CSV table of all heavy atoms in Angstrom, one decimal:
chain,number,residue,atom,x,y,z
A,1,ARG,N,0.8,-1.2,0.0
A,1,ARG,CA,0.0,0.0,0.0
A,1,ARG,C,0.9,1.3,0.0
A,1,ARG,O,0.4,2.3,-0.4
A,1,ARG,CB,-0.9,0.0,1.2
A,1,ARG,CG,-1.9,1.1,1.3
A,1,ARG,CD,-2.8,1.0,2.4
A,1,ARG,NE,-2.1,1.2,3.7
A,1,ARG,CZ,-2.6,1.3,4.9
A,1,ARG,NH1,-3.9,1.0,5.0
A,1,ARG,NH2,-1.9,1.5,5.9
A,2,GLU,N,2.1,1.1,0.5
A,2,GLU,CA,3.0,2.3,0.4
A,2,GLU,C,3.4,2.7,-1.0
A,2,GLU,O,3.7,3.8,-1.3
A,2,GLU,CB,4.3,2.0,1.2
A,2,GLU,CG,4.0,1.8,2.7
A,2,GLU,CD,3.6,3.1,3.4
A,2,GLU,OE1,4.3,4.1,3.2
A,2,GLU,OE2,2.6,3.1,4.2
A,3,ASP,N,3.4,1.7,-1.9
A,3,ASP,CA,3.8,1.9,-3.3
A,3,ASP,C,2.8,2.1,-4.3
A,3,ASP,O,3.0,2.6,-5.4
A,3,ASP,CB,4.8,0.8,-3.7
A,3,ASP,CG,6.0,0.7,-2.8
A,3,ASP,OD1,6.5,1.7,-2.4
A,3,ASP,OD2,6.5,-0.5,-2.6
A,4,ARG,N,1.6,1.5,-4.0
A,4,ARG,CA,0.5,1.5,-5.0
A,4,ARG,C,-0.8,1.4,-4.4
A,4,ARG,O,-0.9,1.0,-3.2
A,4,ARG,CB,0.7,0.3,-6.0
A,4,ARG,CG,0.6,-1.0,-5.3
A,4,ARG,CD,0.8,-2.2,-6.2
A,4,ARG,NE,1.0,-3.5,-5.6
A,4,ARG,CZ,0.1,-4.2,-5.0
A,4,ARG,NH1,-1.2,-3.9,-5.1
A,4,ARG,NH2,0.4,-5.3,-4.4
A,5,ALA,N,-1.8,1.8,-5.2
A,5,ALA,CA,-3.2,1.6,-4.7
A,5,ALA,C,-3.6,0.2,-4.7
A,5,ALA,O,-3.3,-0.6,-5.7
A,5,ALA,CB,-4.1,2.4,-5.6
A,6,LEU,N,-4.3,-0.3,-3.7
A,6,LEU,CA,-4.7,-1.7,-3.6
A,6,LEU,C,-6.1,-1.8,-4.2
A,6,LEU,O,-6.9,-0.9,-4.2
A,6,LEU,CB,-4.8,-2.1,-2.1
A,6,LEU,CG,-3.5,-2.1,-1.3
A,6,LEU,CD1,-3.8,-2.5,0.1
A,6,LEU,CD2,-2.5,-3.0,-1.9
A,7,PRO,N,-6.3,-3.0,-4.8
A,7,PRO,CA,-7.7,-3.3,-5.3
A,7,PRO,C,-8.7,-3.3,-4.2
A,7,PRO,O,-8.3,-3.5,-3.0
A,7,PRO,CB,-7.5,-4.7,-5.9
A,7,PRO,CG,-6.1,-5.0,-6.1
A,7,PRO,CD,-5.4,-4.1,-5.1
A,8,LEU,N,-9.9,-3.1,-4.6
A,8,LEU,CA,-11.0,-3.0,-3.6
A,8,LEU,C,-11.1,-4.2,-2.6
A,8,LEU,O,-11.2,-4.0,-1.4
A,8,LEU,CB,-12.3,-2.8,-4.3
A,8,LEU,CG,-13.5,-2.6,-3.3
A,8,LEU,CD1,-13.4,-1.4,-2.4
A,8,LEU,CD2,-14.8,-2.6,-4.1
A,9,ASN,N,-11.0,-5.4,-3.2
A,9,ASN,CA,-11.1,-6.6,-2.3
A,9,ASN,C,-9.9,-6.6,-1.3
A,9,ASN,O,-10.1,-7.0,-0.2
A,9,ASN,CB,-11.2,-7.9,-3.1
A,9,ASN,CG,-9.9,-8.1,-3.9
A,9,ASN,OD1,-9.3,-7.2,-4.4
A,9,ASN,ND2,-9.6,-9.4,-4.1
A,10,ASP,N,-8.7,-6.2,-1.7
A,10,ASP,CA,-7.6,-6.2,-0.7
A,10,ASP,C,-7.8,-5.1,0.3
A,10,ASP,O,-7.5,-5.3,1.5
A,10,ASP,CB,-6.3,-6.0,-1.5
A,10,ASP,CG,-5.8,-7.2,-2.2
A,10,ASP,OD1,-6.2,-8.3,-1.8
A,10,ASP,OD2,-5.0,-7.1,-3.1
A,11,ARG,N,-8.3,-3.9,-0.1
A,11,ARG,CA,-8.6,-2.9,0.9
A,11,ARG,C,-9.6,-3.3,1.9
A,11,ARG,O,-9.5,-3.0,3.1
A,11,ARG,CB,-9.0,-1.6,0.2
A,11,ARG,CG,-8.0,-0.9,-0.6
A,11,ARG,CD,-8.3,0.5,-1.1
A,11,ARG,NE,-9.7,0.6,-1.6
A,11,ARG,CZ,-10.0,0.7,-2.9
A,11,ARG,NH1,-9.0,0.7,-3.8
A,11,ARG,NH2,-11.2,0.9,-3.3
A,12,VAL,N,-10.7,-4.0,1.5
A,12,VAL,CA,-11.7,-4.4,2.4
A,12,VAL,C,-11.2,-5.5,3.3
A,12,VAL,O,-11.4,-5.4,4.5
A,12,VAL,CB,-13.0,-4.9,1.6
A,12,VAL,CG1,-14.0,-5.6,2.5
A,12,VAL,CG2,-13.6,-3.8,0.8
A,13,ALA,N,-10.4,-6.4,2.8
A,13,ALA,CA,-9.9,-7.5,3.6
A,13,ALA,C,-8.9,-6.9,4.6
A,13,ALA,O,-8.9,-7.3,5.8
A,13,ALA,CB,-9.1,-8.5,2.7
A,14,LEU,N,-8.1,-5.9,4.2
A,14,LEU,CA,-7.2,-5.3,5.1
A,14,LEU,C,-7.9,-4.6,6.2
A,14,LEU,O,-7.6,-4.7,7.4
A,14,LEU,CB,-6.3,-4.3,4.3
A,14,LEU,CG,-5.2,-3.5,5.0
A,14,LEU,CD1,-4.2,-4.5,5.5
A,14,LEU,CD2,-4.6,-2.5,4.0
A,15,TYR,N,-9.0,-3.8,5.9
A,15,TYR,CA,-9.8,-3.1,6.9
A,15,TYR,C,-10.3,-4.1,7.9
A,15,TYR,O,-10.2,-3.8,9.1
A,15,TYR,CB,-10.9,-2.4,6.2
A,15,TYR,CG,-11.9,-1.8,7.1
A,15,TYR,CD1,-11.6,-0.6,7.7
A,15,TYR,CD2,-13.1,-2.4,7.4
A,15,TYR,CE1,-12.5,0.0,8.6
A,15,TYR,CE2,-14.0,-1.8,8.3
A,15,TYR,CZ,-13.7,-0.6,8.9
A,15,TYR,OH,-14.6,0.0,9.7
A,16,PHE,N,-10.9,-5.2,7.5
A,16,PHE,CA,-11.5,-6.1,8.5
A,16,PHE,C,-10.4,-6.9,9.3
A,16,PHE,O,-10.6,-7.1,10.5
A,16,PHE,CB,-12.4,-7.2,7.8
A,16,PHE,CG,-13.7,-6.6,7.4
A,16,PHE,CD1,-14.1,-6.5,6.1
A,16,PHE,CD2,-14.6,-6.1,8.4
A,16,PHE,CE1,-15.3,-5.9,5.7
A,16,PHE,CE2,-15.8,-5.5,8.0
A,16,PHE,CZ,-16.2,-5.4,6.7
A,17,HIS,N,-9.3,-7.2,8.7
A,17,HIS,CA,-8.2,-7.8,9.4
A,17,HIS,C,-7.7,-6.9,10.5
A,17,HIS,O,-7.5,-7.3,11.6
A,17,HIS,CB,-7.1,-8.3,8.5
A,17,HIS,CG,-6.0,-9.0,9.2
A,17,HIS,ND1,-6.0,-10.4,9.4
A,17,HIS,CD2,-4.9,-8.6,9.9
A,17,HIS,CE1,-5.0,-10.7,10.1
A,17,HIS,NE2,-4.3,-9.7,10.4
A,18,LEU,N,-7.5,-5.6,10.2
A,18,LEU,CA,-7.0,-4.6,11.1
A,18,LEU,C,-8.0,-4.4,12.3
A,18,LEU,O,-7.5,-4.1,13.4
A,18,LEU,CB,-6.7,-3.3,10.4
A,18,LEU,CG,-5.5,-3.3,9.5
A,18,LEU,CD1,-5.4,-2.0,8.7
A,18,LEU,CD2,-4.2,-3.6,10.2
A,19,LEU,N,-9.3,-4.6,12.0
A,19,LEU,CA,-10.2,-4.5,13.1
A,19,LEU,C,-10.1,-5.7,14.1
A,19,LEU,O,-10.4,-5.5,15.3
A,19,LEU,CB,-11.7,-4.5,12.6
A,19,LEU,CG,-12.1,-3.2,11.9
A,19,LEU,CD1,-13.5,-3.4,11.4
A,19,LEU,CD2,-12.1,-2.0,12.9
A,20,ALA,N,-9.8,-6.8,13.6
A,20,ALA,CA,-9.8,-8.1,14.4
A,20,ALA,C,-8.5,-8.4,15.0
A,20,ALA,O,-8.5,-9.2,15.9
A,20,ALA,CB,-10.3,-9.2,13.5
A,21,CYS,N,-7.4,-7.9,14.5
A,21,CYS,CA,-6.1,-8.3,14.9
A,21,CYS,C,-5.5,-7.2,15.9
A,21,CYS,O,-5.7,-6.0,15.7
A,21,CYS,CB,-5.2,-8.5,13.7
A,21,CYS,SG,-3.5,-9.1,14.0
A,22,LYS,N,-4.7,-7.7,16.8
A,22,LYS,CA,-4.0,-6.8,17.7
A,22,LYS,C,-2.6,-6.4,17.2
A,22,LYS,O,-2.1,-5.3,17.4
A,22,LYS,CB,-3.8,-7.4,19.1
A,22,LYS,CG,-5.1,-7.5,19.9
A,22,LYS,CD,-4.8,-8.0,21.3
A,22,LYS,CE,-6.2,-8.1,22.0
A,22,LYS,NZ,-6.0,-8.6,23.4
A,23,ALA,N,-1.9,-7.3,16.5
A,23,ALA,CA,-0.5,-7.1,16.1
A,23,ALA,C,-0.4,-6.2,14.8
A,23,ALA,O,0.4,-5.4,14.7
A,23,ALA,CB,0.2,-8.4,15.9
A,24,CYS,N,-1.3,-6.5,13.9
A,24,CYS,CA,-1.1,-5.8,12.6
A,24,CYS,C,-1.4,-4.3,12.6
A,24,CYS,O,-0.7,-3.6,12.0
A,24,CYS,CB,-2.1,-6.5,11.5
A,24,CYS,SG,-1.5,-8.1,11.1
A,25,PRO,N,-2.3,-3.8,13.5
A,25,PRO,CA,-2.4,-2.3,13.6
A,25,PRO,C,-1.1,-1.7,14.1
A,25,PRO,O,-0.7,-0.6,13.8
A,25,PRO,CB,-3.6,-2.1,14.5
A,25,PRO,CG,-4.4,-3.3,14.3
A,25,PRO,CD,-3.4,-4.4,14.1
A,26,ARG,N,-0.4,-2.4,15.0
A,26,ARG,CA,0.9,-1.9,15.5
A,26,ARG,C,1.9,-1.9,14.4
A,26,ARG,O,2.7,-0.9,14.3
A,26,ARG,CB,1.4,-2.8,16.7
A,26,ARG,CG,0.7,-2.6,18.0
A,26,ARG,CD,1.4,-3.3,19.1
A,26,ARG,NE,1.5,-4.7,18.9
A,26,ARG,CZ,0.9,-5.6,19.7
A,26,ARG,NH1,0.2,-5.3,20.7
A,26,ARG,NH2,1.0,-6.9,19.4
A,27,PHE,N,1.9,-2.9,13.5
A,27,PHE,CA,2.8,-2.9,12.4
A,27,PHE,C,2.5,-1.7,11.4
A,27,PHE,O,3.4,-1.0,10.9
A,27,PHE,CB,2.8,-4.2,11.7
A,27,PHE,CG,3.7,-4.3,10.5
A,27,PHE,CD1,5.1,-4.3,10.6
A,27,PHE,CD2,3.2,-4.4,9.2
A,27,PHE,CE1,5.9,-4.4,9.6
A,27,PHE,CE2,4.0,-4.5,8.1
A,27,PHE,CZ,5.4,-4.5,8.3
A,28,GLU,N,1.2,-1.5,11.2
A,28,GLU,CA,0.8,-0.4,10.4
A,28,GLU,C,1.3,0.9,11.0
A,28,GLU,O,1.8,1.8,10.2
A,28,GLU,CB,-0.8,-0.4,10.3
A,28,GLU,CG,-1.3,0.8,9.4
A,28,GLU,CD,-2.8,0.8,9.4
A,28,GLU,OE1,-3.4,0.5,10.4
A,28,GLU,OE2,-3.3,1.2,8.4
A,29,LYS,N,1.1,1.1,12.3
A,29,LYS,CA,1.6,2.3,12.9
A,29,LYS,C,3.1,2.5,12.7
A,29,LYS,O,3.6,3.6,12.5
A,29,LYS,CB,1.2,2.3,14.4
A,29,LYS,CG,1.5,3.6,15.1
A,29,LYS,CD,1.1,3.6,16.5
A,29,LYS,CE,1.5,4.9,17.2
A,29,LYS,NZ,1.1,4.9,18.6
A,30,GLN,N,3.8,1.4,12.9
A,30,GLN,CA,5.3,1.4,12.7
A,30,GLN,C,5.7,1.8,11.3
A,30,GLN,O,6.6,2.6,11.0
A,30,GLN,CB,5.9,0.1,13.0
A,30,GLN,CG,5.9,-0.3,14.5
A,30,GLN,CD,6.3,-1.7,14.8
A,30,GLN,OE1,6.3,-2.5,13.9
A,30,GLN,NE2,6.5,-2.0,16.0
A,31,LEU,N,4.9,1.3,10.3
A,31,LEU,CA,5.2,1.7,8.9
A,31,LEU,C,4.9,3.2,8.7
A,31,LEU,O,5.7,3.9,8.0
A,31,LEU,CB,4.3,0.9,7.9
A,31,LEU,CG,4.7,-0.5,7.6
A,31,LEU,CD1,3.6,-1.2,6.7
A,31,LEU,CD2,6.0,-0.6,6.9
A,32,LEU,N,3.8,3.7,9.2
A,32,LEU,CA,3.5,5.1,9.1
A,32,LEU,C,4.6,6.0,9.8
A,32,LEU,O,5.0,7.0,9.2
A,32,LEU,CB,2.1,5.4,9.7
A,32,LEU,CG,0.9,4.8,9.0
A,32,LEU,CD1,-0.4,5.0,9.7
A,32,LEU,CD2,0.8,5.3,7.5
A,33,THR,N,5.1,5.5,10.9
A,33,THR,CA,6.1,6.3,11.6
A,33,THR,C,7.4,6.3,10.7
A,33,THR,O,8.0,7.3,10.6
A,33,THR,CB,6.4,5.6,13.0
A,33,THR,OG1,5.2,5.7,13.8
A,33,THR,CG2,7.6,6.3,13.7
A,34,LEU,N,7.7,5.2,10.2
A,34,LEU,CA,8.9,5.1,9.3
A,34,LEU,C,8.7,6.0,8.1
A,34,LEU,O,9.7,6.7,7.7
A,34,LEU,CB,9.1,3.6,8.9
A,34,LEU,CG,10.3,3.3,8.0
A,34,LEU,CD1,11.6,3.7,8.7
A,34,LEU,CD2,10.3,1.9,7.6
A,35,ARG,N,7.5,5.9,7.4
A,35,ARG,CA,7.3,6.8,6.3
A,35,ARG,C,7.4,8.3,6.6
A,35,ARG,O,8.1,9.1,6.0
A,35,ARG,CB,5.9,6.5,5.7
A,35,ARG,CG,5.7,7.5,4.5
A,35,ARG,CD,4.4,7.3,3.7
A,35,ARG,NE,3.4,6.5,4.4
A,35,ARG,CZ,2.1,6.9,4.4
A,35,ARG,NH1,1.7,8.1,3.9
A,35,ARG,NH2,1.2,6.2,5.0
A,36,ASN,N,6.8,8.7,7.8
A,36,ASN,CA,6.9,10.1,8.2
A,36,ASN,C,8.4,10.5,8.5
A,36,ASN,O,8.8,11.6,8.2
A,36,ASN,CB,6.0,10.3,9.4
A,36,ASN,CG,4.6,10.2,9.0
A,36,ASN,OD1,4.2,10.4,7.9
A,36,ASN,ND2,3.7,9.9,10.0
A,37,SER,N,9.1,9.6,9.1
A,37,SER,CA,10.5,9.9,9.5
A,37,SER,C,11.3,10.0,8.2
A,37,SER,O,12.2,10.9,8.1
A,37,SER,CB,11.1,8.7,10.3
A,37,SER,OG,10.4,8.7,11.5
A,38,MET,N,11.1,9.2,7.2
A,38,MET,CA,11.8,9.3,6.0
A,38,MET,C,11.5,10.6,5.2
A,38,MET,O,12.4,11.2,4.6
A,38,MET,CB,11.5,8.1,5.1
A,38,MET,CG,12.1,6.8,5.6
A,38,MET,SD,13.9,6.8,5.9
A,38,MET,CE,14.5,7.0,4.2
A,39,GLN,N,10.2,11.0,5.3
A,39,GLN,CA,9.8,12.3,4.6
A,39,GLN,C,10.5,13.4,5.3
A,39,GLN,O,11.0,14.3,4.7
A,39,GLN,CB,8.3,12.5,4.7
A,39,GLN,CG,7.6,11.6,3.7
A,39,GLN,CD,6.1,11.7,3.9
A,39,GLN,OE1,5.6,12.3,4.8
A,39,GLN,NE2,5.4,11.1,2.9
A,40,GLN,N,10.6,13.4,6.7
A,40,GLN,CA,11.3,14.5,7.4
A,40,GLN,C,12.8,14.5,7.1
A,40,GLN,O,13.4,15.5,6.9
A,40,GLN,CB,11.1,14.3,8.9
A,40,GLN,CG,9.7,14.6,9.3
A,40,GLN,CD,9.4,14.4,10.8
A,40,GLN,OE1,10.4,14.1,11.5
A,40,GLN,NE2,8.2,14.6,11.2
A,41,TRP,N,13.4,13.3,7.0
A,41,TRP,CA,14.8,13.2,6.7
A,41,TRP,C,15.1,13.7,5.3
A,41,TRP,O,16.0,14.4,5.1
A,41,TRP,CB,15.3,11.7,6.8
A,41,TRP,CG,16.7,11.5,6.4
A,41,TRP,CD1,17.8,11.8,7.2
A,41,TRP,CD2,17.2,11.0,5.2
A,41,TRP,NE1,18.9,11.5,6.6
A,41,TRP,CE2,18.6,11.0,5.3
A,41,TRP,CE3,16.6,10.6,4.0
A,41,TRP,CZ2,19.4,10.6,4.3
A,41,TRP,CZ3,17.4,10.2,3.0
A,41,TRP,CH2,18.8,10.2,3.1
A,42,ARG,N,14.2,13.3,4.3
A,42,ARG,CA,14.4,13.8,3.0
A,42,ARG,C,14.3,15.3,2.9
A,42,ARG,O,15.1,16.0,2.2
A,42,ARG,CB,13.3,13.2,2.1
A,42,ARG,CG,13.7,12.9,0.7
A,42,ARG,CD,12.7,12.1,-0.1
A,42,ARG,NE,12.6,10.8,0.3
A,42,ARG,CZ,11.5,10.1,0.7
A,42,ARG,NH1,10.4,10.8,0.8
A,42,ARG,NH2,11.6,8.9,1.1
A,43,HIS,N,13.3,15.9,3.6
A,43,HIS,CA,13.2,17.3,3.7
A,43,HIS,C,14.4,18.0,4.3
A,43,HIS,O,14.9,19.0,3.8
A,43,HIS,CB,11.9,17.7,4.4
A,43,HIS,CG,11.7,19.2,4.6
A,43,HIS,ND1,11.3,19.9,3.5
A,43,HIS,CD2,11.8,20.0,5.6
A,43,HIS,CE1,11.2,21.2,3.9
A,43,HIS,NE2,11.5,21.3,5.1
């Protein structure tokens, strides 16, 4: 998802998995932190 738009079925599956799982939302937050940090570093 960082590189490309996901198809609708993958977006829906991702949404429901993130609602039901405890670990994956933490991983998502880590990815977002990494992306934001890289943008700040690039700037």
Side-chain angles (χ1 to χ4, degrees):
R1 186 177 69 178
E2 294 293 313
D3 297 325
R4 61 181 167 81
L6 297 177
L8 179 62
N9 64 325
D10 285 338
R11 290 193 315 258
V12 171
L14 185 61
Y15 174 79
F16 284 117
H17 184 91
L18 291 172
L19 284 177
C21 183
K22 289 184 180 180
C24 289
R26 285 191 299 242
F27 181 67
E28 179 184 35
K29 185 176 177 182
Q30 291 169 346
L31 282 176
L32 294 174
T33 299
L34 182 61
R35 179 175 17 130
N36 291 336
S37 297
M38 292 304 294
Q39 286 174 349
Q40 289 178 2
W41 178 80
R42 212 173 288 122
H43 180 70

